[in-house]
Amino acid sequence: MDVKGVQAAISFDGEWITIVKKAIGQPDRPTRISVRSISSTTLKPATRLFHGYIQFGVPGSDQAAERKGIVLGGRPPHDDPNSLSIPHRSNDAAAKIVAAIEEARVRLSP
């Protein structure tokens, strides 16, 4: 299961979430997160004017705050390894991947 984001992508294999961020002139920056280590999931759907985001809370790591402004549109910064900005066309896929991750969190919880 994959979702294309803004200069990034997220994939989920049932147990691991992989977020790959891309920056111009830089190597890809992958982050792998186990579903078992996620404490919260936030999905803010994109609008036609502003990107939305998916963000994961991980114990021991502070969640990046939304940055306000006309350009950023209220989403975490690109350098936050536990979040992914999404365009409007990815809203449905983002909702599906978040639902699958939440289901796996319940299924795999002790």
Side-chain angles (χ1 to χ4, degrees):
M1 187 173 263
D2 299 317
V3 175
K4 291 190 188 234
V6 179
Q7 294 182 329
I10 185 172
S11 62
F12 178 58
D13 67 4
E15 287 192 39
W16 289 90
I17 300 160
T18 304
I19 301 172
V20 179
K21 299 223 177 173
K22 302 168 186 179
I24 298 171
Q26 301 289 323
D28 292 352
R29 292 179 293 149
T31 300
R32 285 180 46 97
I33 306 169
S34 170
V35 169
R36 290 183 173 103
S37 67
I38 293 175
S39 59
S40 66
T41 304
T42 304
L43 171 63
K44 180 179 178 182
T47 65
R48 294 208 182 273
L49 296 176
F50 297 106
H51 296 300
Y53 67 89
I54 300 171
Q55 185 176 45
F56 302 104
V58 180
S61 176
D62 292 333
Q63 279 188 288
E66 290 183 4
R67 289 194 175 166
K68 303 294 181 187
I70 194 81
V71 175
L72 296 172
R75 57 190 168 142
H78 184 70
D79 60 355
D80 176 24
N82 299 325
S83 69
L84 172 81
S85 294
I86 56 170
H88 184 263
R89 69 180 176 272
S90 295
N91 278 345
D92 291 340
K96 288 177 185 175
I97 201 167
V98 167
I101 290 167
E102 287 298 312
E103 185 276 327
R105 282 182 62 201
V106 170
R107 181 175 40 88
L108 298 172
S109 67

